[in-house]
Amino acid sequence: MVVSETARIANGLIDRTLPKAEWTHQAHLRAGLWHVLTFGEDEALRLLRERITRYNASVGTANTDSSGYHETLTRFYVGLIARFVAECQTAMTVDGLAELLIARHGDRELALRFYSRERLFSVEARRRWVEPDLR
């Protein structure tokens, strides 16, 4: 059985076998998409909080006030992905959806259209959800 690239990345996150070099912004989007499709928005967010934090620790990335897990970015993207899924054709494969998601929303600077750099990269935003200050 052929495993989709999106499922491979999500499973690598879950079981902490994904090589650190593969944990890119696009991989974050694929893992987020897989979680939203599999569990729905609220449960995906809960699971991603736990799984990203554990994954980071397993690859030597400290979850601190300046690195590792970022609550506002995670919640921002889970919400974006949930809205994206609601607007898309459900007949697409998960990898097809992932490619479309990346094409539409894969810009690493996307959140900075909504947040000032200072607000988004604050300790407060890393530790808890903060509302956008730009739009």
Side-chain angles (χ1 to χ4, degrees):
M1 179 175 147
V2 175
V3 175
S4 75
E5 178 65 1
T6 301
R8 183 190 74 78
I9 288 169
N11 288 320
L13 168 68
I14 293 165
D15 62 21
R16 298 180 300 278
T17 59
L18 185 72
K20 185 176 181 177
E22 291 185 38
W23 189 228
T24 63
H25 179 63
Q26 290 185 358
H28 279 75
L29 292 176
R30 284 182 183 272
L33 175 65
W34 184 91
H35 279 79
V36 168
L37 289 171
T38 305
F39 300 106
E41 182 177 1
D42 292 341
E43 184 67 2
L45 180 58
R46 186 189 74 73
L47 289 169
L48 285 165
R49 283 178 180 130
E50 171 190 319
R51 291 172 174 175
I52 292 171
T53 301
R54 286 190 336 205
Y55 174 81
N56 286 344
S58 77
V59 296
T61 300
N63 294 296
T64 68
D65 288 344
S66 60
S67 72
Y69 180 78
H70 193 296
E71 174 66 17
T72 298
L73 278 173
T74 302
R75 188 166 157 187
F76 173 84
Y77 277 105
V78 168
L80 180 141
I81 290 166
R83 287 186 300 279
F84 167 82
V85 167
E87 297 168 0
C88 285
Q89 301 173 12
T90 56
M92 294 179 74
T93 66
V94 68
D95 282 341
L97 279 171
E99 292 300 324
L100 186 57
L101 173 66
I102 290 164
R104 288 187 186 171
H105 304 293
D107 178 6
R108 287 183 50 88
E109 302 290 311
L110 177 65
L112 291 171
R113 295 181 196 154
F114 299 86
Y115 291 90
S116 64
R117 188 169 295 280
E118 296 76 27
R119 184 165 177 91
L120 185 60
F121 295 109
S122 67
V123 172
E124 179 184 19
R126 183 174 291 280
R127 292 293 162 216
R128 67 176 189 82
W129 168 254
V130 296
E131 293 289 332
D133 60 341
L134 299 181
R135 63 178 193 179

